[in-house]
Amino acid sequence: MNQQLQAKLKTLPSNPGVYFHKNASGEIIYVGKAAVLKNRVRQYFQKSRDVDAKTWALVSEIVDVDWTITESELDALFLESEMIKRYLPRYNIMLRDDKSQTFVRINMRDAVPFVSFTRQPADDGADYYGPFYSGIAVKNALKILRKIFPYFTKKYSSKSINSKLNVQLGLEPNIENGVTKYKKDLRKLTSYIKGNRIAVINEIKKEMEVAAKAQDFELAAKLRNQLFNLNELRKQIVFGRDEFLDISKDQALVGLCDLLNLPEIPRRIEAYDVSHISGQHNVSSMVVATNGVADRREYRKFKLKTSGNDDCAHMRETIKRRLKHLKDWGRPDLVIIDGGIGQLSAVADLLNDEKIPFIGRNKSGNHSRNASVKIIFANLARNDPAKEKYENVELGTDNHVAKLIARLDDESHRFAVSYHQVLRGKNQTKNILEEIPGIGASTRTKLLKKFGSLATVKNASESELAVVIGSSKAKLVASCLASPGKVK
């Protein structure tokens, strides 16, 4: 251990936070979280510790350590997850098991939503939070929060004996009083998970004041207890992220601000990408980073109306539709476009009219995270309308700004491709029966249940079809299947 690192370790705080181990070239080789930074980071350099060969290999490369203080242990868990996805440190890959990653899943669209955990998020409309590399910590935290905001852990059933017991214990809501109140409390829980601790507390305070004025003292007492328990959570494990993270210490955000001459550090960054195959099933995606951290609750996807294989036109449609939602979705401080000068030129007038800085990432066919990051930006994005010349900057693989841009651009690519695959999959499972006017889902189900497949239905005679769906419909189906061109 060098003297500079030794002196730096003496300044480690006792707060929870995230630490970054760096090698001689300044590359981040490992990211970790700690309940007490001082204790956890110093453990790496204790000679008496019995550790495996991989950990010793990590320690032998550590030349410098940086850290970011967070409000709580779970706040550190949020930040650790995002930083690993941004920097992809090689020792995190070597020392961690991907199977241990955990996501929290909540689908507010369900009639009676419930909270669950999964290792594989699906594109099913639910909200997913994670991944978290310590599933036990996340599950323990939600157990504590459940005592404040009761929720179901599986699909609701009024016949469940355990459900009645859990209501008495205060772990599940009394759904007999209606689902509206339950969803309201669940939204507070999700808001808390998203990091809006102060907003949730202020909301409960206002509700308590209203209840007290209305002399609903039972409700006021319940809200008072919620406030007390929320404040007590700070002594245990607490969800939080945006409001406690000091973004002035995020080297990527600071570097991005300096590189683009932005007036202030970009708090909301949006990245866009387009996906299609030969101009079919055209879609685009918008992913969002809040204070440098991927913010899945703000992601959006677009089913494009512009046909054909024209990425520039597709990107223009996407940005045009996005800008219609500046009031309800929020205003971006920076936009990242997947593409080169063509894509940037297609949207330049739209973004410049709103005075929104924008850059492009030109991968030139290279999607590798190990490749250098080439960004393109116009002087217009630097508030210099007199010059329209685009500038190219190539950032090294170890550059903090490059890591952030690559992380968001790759995330937008992943999100767009996943949506494209969903649409393509739906189209592939669509059959000609769905295109026959007058033949509904019930009739199609009867046919497929009886004959087993579309091919067998096609080979069936009109009389065989009539036995299942009646003579008039059988005649229509047989005619359309015999001449597919008639189907509209």
Side-chain angles (χ1 to χ4, degrees), residues 435-450:
E435 300 179 3
I436 301 177
I439 300 301
S442 177
T443 302
R444 293 195 298 270
T445 300
K446 289 179 181 178
L447 288 171
L448 293 174
K449 186 176 181 179
K450 173 64 177 177

Side-chain angles (χ1 to χ4, degrees), residues 28 83-90 92-93 369 403:
I28 295 175
M83 291 299 106
I84 290 174
K85 287 184 284 188
R86 180 194 297 184
Y87 289 106
L88 296 178
R90 49 193 170 90
N92 283 94
I93 298 171
R369 286 293 296 268
K403 293 288 187 182

Side-chain angles (χ1 to χ4, degrees), residues 13 64 85 93 102 107 187 247 262 279 283 295 309 312-313 389:
D64 191 14
K85 287 184 284 188
I93 298 171
T102 301
N107 190 355
R187 287 190 182 94
I247 61 174
L262 299 176
V283 300
D295 199 346
N309 188 0
C312 295
K389 180 182 177 181

Side-chain angles (χ1 to χ4, degrees), residues 266-461:
R267 291 182 173 273
R268 181 185 174 98
I269 303 175
E270 298 178 358
Y272 294 84
D273 196 8
V274 171
S275 180
H276 60 81
I277 292 182
S278 301
Q280 295 184 337
H281 310 303
N282 301 329
V283 300
S284 60
S285 66
M286 177 187 93
V287 303
V288 179
T290 302
N291 292 343
V293 178
D295 199 346
R296 289 183 64 90
R297 67 187 184 271
E298 297 292 334
Y299 285 16
R300 299 289 185 273
K301 50 193 177 186
F302 303 85
K303 187 175 181 180
L304 299 176
K305 301 174 184 177
T306 305
S307 59
N309 188 0
D310 189 342
D311 285 353
C312 295
H314 297 152
M315 189 61 72
R316 181 174 179 83
E317 179 190 335
T318 301
I319 297 299
K320 195 171 184 178
R321 288 168 60 181
R322 161 59 182 111
L323 293 177
K324 293 179 180 179
H325 296 276
L326 288 177
K327 292 184 178 179
D328 50 328
W329 291 2
R331 185 182 183 85
D333 299 310
L334 178 67
V335 164
I336 300 175
I337 302 293
D338 182 87
I341 294 177
Q343 284 85 347
L344 289 183
S345 299
V347 301
D349 62 317
L350 300 174
L351 292 169
N352 281 315
D353 285 346
E354 295 293 340
K355 294 183 171 53
I356 297 174
F358 60 95
I359 62 174
R361 182 191 178 195
N362 188 356
K363 294 187 286 288
S364 301
N366 190 348
H367 287 258
S368 172
R369 286 293 296 268
N370 295 321
S372 60
V373 173
K374 300 177 181 178
I375 66 170
I376 306 171
F377 56 90
N379 280 313
L380 288 173
R382 293 186 169 197
N383 298 319
D384 187 0
K387 299 178 181 179
E388 297 186 11
K389 180 182 177 181
Y390 286 92
E391 300 179 22
N392 290 270
V393 175
E394 184 168 355
L395 305 174
T397 56
D398 294 330
N399 185 283
H400 291 287
V401 175
K403 293 288 187 182
L404 176 59
I405 292 174
R407 158 78 177 125
L408 296 177
D409 186 54
D410 291 349
E411 178 72 351
S412 66
H413 179 73
R414 178 201 65 78
F415 195 50
V417 169
S418 67
Y419 183 39
H420 167 77
Q421 290 173 340
V422 168
L423 294 184
R424 190 175 62 181
K426 288 181 178 179
N427 185 71
Q428 290 173 344
T429 57
K430 184 178 181 181
N431 61 61
I432 196 171
L433 292 176
E434 297 178 48
E435 300 179 3
I436 301 177
I439 300 301
S442 177
T443 302
R444 293 195 298 270
T445 300
K446 289 179 181 178
L447 288 171
L448 293 174
K449 186 176 181 179
K450 173 64 177 177
F451 296 101
S453 68
L454 178 61
T456 311
V457 174
K458 288 181 179 179
N459 293 329
S461 65

Side-chain angles (χ1 to χ4, degrees), residues 110-115 151-160 162-164 167 172-179 182:
D110 289 342
V112 182
F114 60 94
V115 178
Y151 60 80
F152 295 101
T153 58
K154 57 185 178 181
K155 192 172 182 179
Y156 170 70
S157 172
S158 59
K159 299 179 181 179
S160 173
N162 289 336
S163 181
K164 295 179 181 179
V167 170
E172 290 183 359
N174 187 356
I175 208 69
E176 295 178 359
N177 297 332
V179 75
Y182 169 48

